[in-house]
C-alpha cells in the first residue's frame, strides 16, 4: 500500500496570503494525484486531479504541481471560504488507493 | 450527479449492517464506484472499490473478509455489506463515483454523497 504523508498538519495563514501544502508518496504515483477540500459537515470536494489540472468550477487561485513522489497544492491568495481541511489522494494503477492524513488551513 | 447513502445506524460489536447508495443524474452502469469512510474527527480512508461492470473488486486490508461491495446496475445502486463489525469501523461512510482522468487515464473520485453514519458500540 502506498503511504501518503501531508505536511504540515496545520497551517495558519492570514486572509490574502499564500498557502503552500505538501504531500509525499512512499513510492511513485506518477501524476495520479488529486487534492480535495473538506469543510465541516460536508463531503470532500475535488479541486485538482492529475497533479495539476483544476476540476470544473475551481477558482484559479488553486494550483497543483509535482509528479512521482512529491506534490504541492498552492492557494495564491486565501479567501475566507478557503479555510478548510485539504487531503491529497493517490489513485495510481490498481487499488487500494490512499489518502494523506490531511492539512488543516486555519485563520491566523 | 446525486449519491444518497442509507443504512447506517448503531450496531453492537460483531454485528452486521448493509449500506446502500442510490445514484442519480448519471449513467450509473458506466462508472466505477468507491466507498470511503471517515472516523469522527479523523481523516479519509479508502475502503472498497467496484468496477462499473462488477468484475473487479478491491478492498483495504482492514476490511478484507468482513466487508463485501456490490452493485445492481438495474437499480442504480451500490451496496456495502459489513459483518463482524468492530469499534474501529465506526465512521461516516461515503459513497463516491470515479471517473476517468483524461490526463492519466486512471480513475479519480469526482463526486461524493453526504455519507451515512455507522456507530459500533455496545
Amino acid at each position: 500500500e502506498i503511504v501518503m504523508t501531508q505536511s504540515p498538519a496545520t497551517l495558519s495563514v492570514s486572509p490574502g496570503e499564500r498557502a503552500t501544502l505538501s504531500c509525499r508518496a512512499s513510492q511513485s504515483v506518477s501524476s495520479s494525484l488529486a487534492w480535495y477540500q473538506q469543510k465541516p459537515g460536508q463531503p470532500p470536494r475535488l479541486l485538482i486531479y492529475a497533479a495539476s489540472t483544476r476540476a470544473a468550477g475551481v477558482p484559479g487561485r488553486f494550483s497543483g504541481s509535482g509528479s512521482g513522489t512529491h506534490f504541492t497544492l498552492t492557494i495564491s491568495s486565501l479567501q475566507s471560504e478557503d479555510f478548510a481541511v485539504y487531503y491529497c489522494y493517490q489513485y495510481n494503477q490498481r487499488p487500494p488507493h490512499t489518502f494523506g492524513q490531511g492539512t488543516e488551513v486555519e485563520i491566523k | 450527479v446525486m449519491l444518497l447513502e442509507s443504512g447506517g445506524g448503531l450496531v453492537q460489536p460483531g454485528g452486521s449492517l448493509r449500506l446502500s447508495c442510490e445514484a442519480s443524474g448519471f449513467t450509473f452502469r458506466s462508472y466505477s464506484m468507491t466507498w470511503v469512510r471517515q472516523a469522527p474527527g479523523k481523516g479519509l480512508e479508502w475502503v472498497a472499490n467496484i468496477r462499473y461492470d462488477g468484475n473487479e473488486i478491491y478492498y483495504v486490508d482492514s476490511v478484507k473478509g468482513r466487508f463485501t461491495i456490490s452493485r445492481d446496475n438495474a437499480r442504480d445502486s451500490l451496496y456495502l455489506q459489513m459483518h463482524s463489525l468492530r469499534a474501529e469501523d465506526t465512521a461516516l461512510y461515503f459513497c463516491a463515483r470515479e471517473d476517468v482522468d483524461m490526463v492519466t487515464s486512471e480513475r479519480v473520485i469526482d463526486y461524493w454523497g453526504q455519507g451515512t453514519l455507522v456507530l459500533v458500540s455496545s
Side-chain angles (χ1 to χ4, degrees):
Chain A
E1 177 181 299
I2 298 175
V3 177
M4 306 301 291
T5 303
Q6 291 186 240
S7 61
T10 304
L11 187 60
S12 298
V13 186
S14 298
E17 288 187 343
R18 181 187 195 91
T20 302
L21 289 67
S22 177
C23 175
R24 288 184 183 272
S26 60
Q27 62 190 75
S28 177
V29 299
S30 185
S31 294
S32 300
L33 190 285
W35 290 94
Y36 297 89
Q37 175 194 67
Q38 189 180 31
K39 297 180 181 179
Q42 297 183 18
R45 170 197 177 196
L46 178 64
L47 295 177
I48 301 285
Y49 64 92
S52 60
T53 304
R54 274 190 299 276
V58 175
R61 62 181 180 273
F62 291 91
S63 63
S65 63
S67 66
T69 62
H70 186 204
F71 301 88
T72 299
L73 174 70
T74 301
I75 312 171
S76 60
S77 176
L78 271 155
Q79 306 298 302
S80 58
E81 62 266 29
D82 301 335
F83 292 97
V85 180
Y86 293 84
Y87 295 93
C88 63
Y89 170 69
Q90 71 80 16
Y91 54 100
N92 190 48
Q93 299 183 346
R94 290 187 174 186
H97 297 151
T98 45
F99 291 92
Q101 80 276 24
T103 290
E104 181 181 6
V105 177
E106 65 174 21
I107 300 174
K108 187 173 181 181
Chain B
V1 173
M2 285 196 65
L3 299 166
L4 183 61
E5 302 94 337
S6 61
L10 174 62
V11 60
Q12 292 189 339
S16 299
L17 213 52
R18 188 193 195 210
L19 306 184
S20 299
C21 171
E22 184 177 335
S24 60
F26 65 101
T27 305
F28 180 73
R29 64 179 180 272
S30 298
Y31 290 84
S32 298
M33 300 294 293
T34 295
W35 287 100
V36 176
R37 66 184 179 184
Q38 187 169 36
K42 303 297 184 183
L44 301 169
E45 181 182 31
W46 184 98
V47 174
N49 171 266
I50 184 167
R51 206 173 70 172
Y52 59 92
D53 56 7
N55 287 340
E56 284 188 17
I57 287 174
Y58 303 92
Y59 299 98
V60 68
D61 283 349
S62 60
V63 308
K64 280 181 184 175
R66 301 189 300 123
F67 289 12
T68 301
I69 188 172
S70 63
R71 64 190 295 156
D72 184 343
N73 286 344
R75 296 179 183 272
D76 292 343
S77 293
L78 175 73
Y79 306 102
L80 187 67
Q81 178 69 56
M82 304 184 294
H83 294 298
S84 303
L85 283 161
R86 307 166 180 166
E88 54 265 35
D89 295 317
T90 292
L92 185 64
Y93 283 73
F94 294 102
C95 165
R97 188 185 86 164
E98 286 191 334
D99 196 6
V100 176
D101 156 9
M102 300 306 289
V103 177
T104 68
S105 300
E106 303 286 358
R107 294 190 185 93
V108 64
I109 293 174
D110 63 346
Y111 284 96
W112 302 67
Q114 293 294 317
T116 186
L117 183 62
V118 173
L119 177 59
V120 184
S121 175
S122 54

